[in-house]
Amino acid sequence: MVNLAEWLELPKPWFLASHSMGGCIGLRALHNGLDVAAASFSAPMWGIQLSDSDRRLGWVSSIIGTALGQGGKLVPNATLEHELLTADVENNLLTHDPEIWDFMKNQIVTHPDLTLGGVTLGWLRAALLEDWRLSRMAPPSVPALAFLGKEEGIVDPAPIHALMEKWPGGKLELVDGARHELMMERPEIRERVFEGSIALFESHAAR
């Protein structure tokens, strides 16, 4: 595995900070031996929030669809329109902060090529399989801190609770009044995530 920090000759110690799907990638990297002194996760995607029926449909449709060469097609009921264009700050899964909401919305209106639409069958198959595989592995030995909003509506909270409960040197912080984008939430929530992560990193900087 290529270590980007080493390749860039960055001074040690190194730390991992990740959000959402990055949390899934980051956890896999830790299992693969990523050399960091500590890790901070924001709403890590160690599971996707789905109803039982939608989860069964997701497994079947993504596996069969991908096998039939349809992995590039959107999952059932998905569209290419981002929630930023269809919802509002009062009724969305991302943030309560109106300034952040307007900033994100203006960004994709100005640069529509940066917009993320609905997921494909191939992506869903890969995500479900990876989350399942990770759930069967013992947590890494790296000290870790995970933040999870109490109003989370995108990633599945259950695997986060389950993993952090058995993670040695791990801690889960539940954040009142926070949706999925913890680092793009109201100022006091953003500060809590940033300051908590920095405190974790500083406490292991001697390594």
Side-chain angles (χ1 to χ4, degrees):
M1 181 180 67
V2 175
N3 192 318
L4 182 60
E6 187 173 15
W7 182 72
L8 292 173
E9 299 182 348
L10 298 179
K12 288 186 176 183
W14 301 325
F15 302 99
L16 171 67
S18 59
H19 170 72
S20 196
M21 188 173 71
C24 177
I25 297 169
L27 179 58
R28 171 57 69 181
L30 292 178
H31 282 302
N32 287 348
L34 183 68
D35 183 17
V36 294
S40 174
F41 298 96
S42 163
M45 193 198 78
W46 298 336
I48 304 170
Q49 193 165 144
L50 296 167
S51 66
D52 289 341
S53 59
D54 283 346
R55 189 174 303 279
R56 288 192 293 269
L57 175 62
W59 274 108
V60 173
S61 63
S62 64
I63 291 174
I64 294 177
T66 303
L68 295 175
Q70 304 299 308
K73 290 195 173 182
L74 294 176
V75 301
N77 301 321
T79 71
L80 290 177
E81 279 195 301
H82 195 281
E83 183 184 6
L84 286 161
L85 300 177
T86 59
D88 55 51
V89 71
E90 299 298 329
N91 183 29
N92 74 88
L93 299 174
L94 303 177
T95 180
H96 286 285
D97 191 299
E99 292 186 12
I100 291 290
W101 178 263
D102 289 341
F103 169 79
M104 292 191 295
K105 184 173 183 176
N106 181 67
Q107 184 180 47
I108 68 171
V109 169
T110 305
H111 304 284
D113 54 315
L114 299 178
T115 305
L116 295 176
V119 304
T120 63
L121 290 169
W123 184 94
L124 181 60
R125 175 183 177 276
L128 290 173
L129 282 172
E130 180 67 349
D131 286 336
W132 178 78
R133 290 171 179 143
L134 290 172
S135 72
R136 298 170 65 84
M137 303 175 72
S141 59
V142 175
L145 175 62
F147 294 92
L148 178 66
K150 289 189 176 181
E151 297 180 25
E152 176 62 54
I154 295 178
V155 303
D156 187 354
I160 301 173
H161 283 271
L163 182 59
M164 296 311 297
E165 284 174 4
K166 59 184 180 181
W167 192 314
K171 179 183 177 184
L172 174 61
E173 287 202 20
L174 300 177
V175 185
D176 287 322
R179 293 172 177 165
H180 181 63
E181 295 288 347
L182 289 156
M183 292 186 281
M184 301 187 78
E185 257 289 0
R186 294 191 301 267
E188 65 272 18
I189 294 175
R190 299 199 301 268
E191 290 174 8
R192 177 177 173 182
V193 174
F194 295 143
E195 291 177 0
S197 299
I198 291 171
L200 171 71
F201 299 159
E202 287 180 340
S203 68
H204 295 280
R207 178 184 158 188

